[in-house]
Amino acid sequence: MIAVQDFVRETWEDFNSPTTSTFASKMGVCRQTVASLEETLDVDRSSLTKMKKSVKALYNTGNNHVTSDAMVAENLERLGVIAKSRDNEHEIGEAFLKFSHVTKDLSSMMKNMMDGLNNMVLFPLDSFLKGDLKGAKGDLKKPFDKAWKDYETKFSKTEKEKKKQAQEAGMVRAEISGAELAEEMEKERKIFQLQMCEYLIKVNEIRTKKGSDLLQSLAEYYQVQANFFRDGLRTIQHFHDFVEELGKQIQKIRQRQDAEKKQLVELRETLKNSMTCYKEPPPVSTHPAGYSLHQLTGDKSHGSEKTGNLLKKSEGRMRRVWQRRKCSIRDGCMYISHHDESKDPVKLNLLTCQVKRVPDDLGKKCFDLVSSLNNRTYHFQADDTKEMDA
């Protein structure tokens, strides 16, 4: 890389004496210098962008802390006012109010520190990234690259013309020295130097802002932090004596409240014991024990399985007649055969059915089986009352 001092010296020499200058031989080094600086700027851009994000996160976290502190202080103040006015606990109310004031003071100090972080660090960083470092890698050196390309194009064209002239004069020229092209390339060389100069000035400004200016901002923010911790410590130390005295008061308040609680517990136990003579005897159940989903428990003496014949009333539209059907009960289900016994019988789960006696049955031989599964009522008639009960 070429140092800035060397570039300035070489450029002045070329400016004062173009024909004797060696600047043309340094132009390649100038290009390498710009390329190397671009790599450095790209790293700086990435690092500063990450730093800005972390500073912004810190700023947002601090402001959330300030907001939460304000809410805590507000609720502490409310507790203090209630304790003094409604509960007549003056000492407790004053303590809550004291904590509220201290929380507000610390919150105000934190707010000032966050404002300092924003004004002294975050805002300058954001402006720097959106200004001097705005754009992608290579945008800053585009004018320089164009100047170099124009110089190369003009140099090749002029060199070709010189060789052609020499050939027409019967001379063979392997190459043309820079001194011979110095005057003809003066404009393009000065444009190259100008763009190099502009680029180095911009790099200098960026270095200043990311170096000494950023350090100055951090130093100023350090002072804000120092004030925050110093003032906060002073507030806490001033509050320390109150907290020590509060510890003694809390012991007295707790002893008083414990004594009140003990008296209330003794009174409660006495009242509870005296209430035993007023207790009413538990009601006597008129129903037998056991779980019943729809109705009373059946007579277990009949067993849980049965097979026989029942008359079933048909559901015909024109007329309804009683038809004898084979019925059986096993495993909690009732099976009703069809007239054609080769067909599978109807299966009813008795847990989802309800049995009802037919109220207008004088002989008490009829009953209904209501199935909730298919929302249908089956009408049955037994040969006698005993068979119907079973």
Side-chain angles (χ1 to χ4, degrees):
M1 293 176 61
I2 186 171
V4 174
Q5 295 82 359
D6 296 335
F7 169 75
V8 172
R9 187 185 70 254
E10 293 281 354
T11 302
W12 274 120
E13 290 177 0
D14 184 73
F15 184 82
N16 295 324
S17 180
T19 55
T20 61
S21 170
T22 60
F23 183 83
S25 63
K26 301 293 192 297
M27 293 177 70
V29 181
C30 290
R31 287 193 66 197
Q32 293 176 8
T33 300
V34 171
S36 180
L37 289 173
E38 274 297 303
E39 294 291 337
T40 303
L41 289 178
D42 191 51
V43 174
D44 291 341
R45 186 184 292 107
S46 176
S47 300
L48 291 171
T49 300
K50 292 178 181 178
M51 179 179 176
K52 174 197 161 185
K53 289 181 179 179
S54 57
V55 172
K56 188 174 182 179
L58 180 62
Y59 173 72
N60 292 334
T61 303
N63 279 333
N64 290 337
H65 182 84
V66 171
T67 303
S68 299
D69 265 352
M71 294 178 65
V72 170
E74 180 181 345
N75 286 287
L76 286 172
E77 183 177 3
R78 186 180 293 112
L79 288 173
V81 171
I82 291 174
K84 291 178 67 175
S85 61
R86 192 182 67 186
D87 300 336
N88 294 322
E89 295 178 328
H90 185 79
E91 294 176 342
I92 292 179
E94 283 295 330
F96 277 128
L97 292 175
K98 188 71 174 178
F99 273 102
S100 174
H101 296 327
V102 171
T103 304
K104 285 180 180 179
D105 290 343
L106 294 176
S107 176
S108 177
M109 296 175 195
M110 173 69 82
K111 181 68 168 61
N112 292 335
M113 186 171 70
M114 289 301 103
D115 289 342
L117 179 64
N118 180 57
N119 298 332
M120 298 171 187
V121 182
L122 184 57
F123 180 75
L125 263 179
D126 186 60
S127 301
F128 182 37
L129 289 168
K130 291 180 179 179
D132 297 287
L133 286 179
K134 184 180 180 181
K137 179 181 177 181
D139 289 348
L140 193 63
K141 69 183 185 72
K142 284 182 179 179
F144 173 82
D145 289 340
K146 184 178 182 305
W148 166 255
K149 186 175 181 181
D150 292 343
Y151 177 86
E152 277 193 322
T153 302
K154 180 68 178 294
F155 185 86
S156 299
K157 181 180 178 182
T158 305
E159 186 180 39
K160 188 180 296 183
E161 290 176 353
K162 291 288 186 182
K163 288 182 178 180
K164 185 177 180 181
Q165 292 173 1
Q167 187 178 5
E168 291 174 352
M171 300 172 60
V172 178
R173 300 289 302 274
E175 61 180 34
I176 307 297
S177 65
E180 294 181 72
L181 300 177
E183 292 184 4
E184 296 185 35
M185 298 294 298
E186 184 175 3
K187 176 185 175 182
E188 286 72 17
R189 195 167 60 256
K190 284 185 177 180
I191 292 175
F192 177 87
Q193 293 166 348
L194 175 62
Q195 294 302 329
M196 178 74 175
C197 203
E198 292 278 7
Y199 182 83
L200 291 176
I201 290 172
K202 199 68 179 176
V203 170
N204 181 274
E205 292 174 352
I206 290 173
R207 281 179 169 173
T208 299
K209 290 183 179 179
K210 80 178 180 69
S212 56
D213 287 358
L214 181 57
L215 284 173
Q216 180 64 36
S217 298
L218 293 173
E220 293 173 358
Y221 176 60
Y222 165 79
Q223 292 298 331
V224 174
Q225 285 181 303
N227 293 337
F228 167 77
F229 289 112
R230 184 180 61 250
D231 296 342
L233 183 61
R234 186 184 301 119
T235 301
I236 292 298
Q237 287 176 338
H238 179 72
F239 191 56
H240 179 71
D241 295 338
F242 169 78
V243 172
E244 286 193 340
E245 183 63 28
L246 178 64
K248 301 175 183 178
Q249 294 179 1
I250 290 174
Q251 291 297 326
K252 294 179 180 178
I253 294 171
R254 187 170 293 164
Q255 289 174 0
R256 184 175 69 245
Q257 291 176 339
D258 288 344
E260 290 178 355
K261 181 181 178 181
K262 183 178 180 181
Q263 293 174 358
L264 289 170
V265 169
E266 290 177 354
L267 178 60
R268 181 191 67 184
E269 294 302 319
T270 302
L271 290 172
K272 284 174 67 175
N273 294 332
S274 68
M275 295 296 290
T276 54
C277 61
Y278 300 105
K279 288 185 179 180
E280 296 181 0
V284 179
S285 176
T286 58
H287 302 289
Y291 172 76
S292 175
L293 184 64
H294 297 296
Q295 58 206 43
L296 297 179
T297 304
D299 188 350
K300 295 181 179 180
S301 64
H302 294 295
S304 60
E305 294 187 3
K306 185 170 178 62
T307 300
N309 293 305
L310 291 171
L311 293 176
K312 173 181 167 295
K313 185 180 286 188
S314 66
E315 298 293 335
R317 294 184 179 180
M318 299 300 294
R319 63 190 183 94
R320 300 182 179 181
V321 295
W322 292 98
Q323 298 174 333
R324 185 171 293 277
R325 294 284 184 266
K326 180 181 178 181
C327 300
S328 62
I329 294 176
R330 62 179 182 275
D331 299 327
C333 293
M334 183 172 183
Y335 298 88
I336 308 170
S337 299
H338 297 278
H339 177 70
D340 183 2
E341 294 190 1
S342 63
K343 294 182 180 179
D344 292 335
V346 176
K347 179 182 179 181
L348 299 178
N349 188 340
L350 295 180
L351 286 177
T352 61
C353 296
Q354 186 176 11
V355 178
K356 293 183 178 180
R357 288 182 180 273
V358 179
D360 56 353
D361 179 26
L362 298 178
K364 296 183 179 181
K365 296 185 296 183
C366 294
F367 64 93
D368 291 341
L369 187 66
V370 183
S371 173
S372 62
L373 183 63
N374 53 14
N375 195 22
R376 181 178 172 183
T377 300
Y378 294 86
H379 306 284
F380 292 105
Q381 179 180 331
D383 292 336
D384 53 44
T385 304
K386 182 179 178 182
E387 185 73 3
M388 183 200 68
D389 290 338

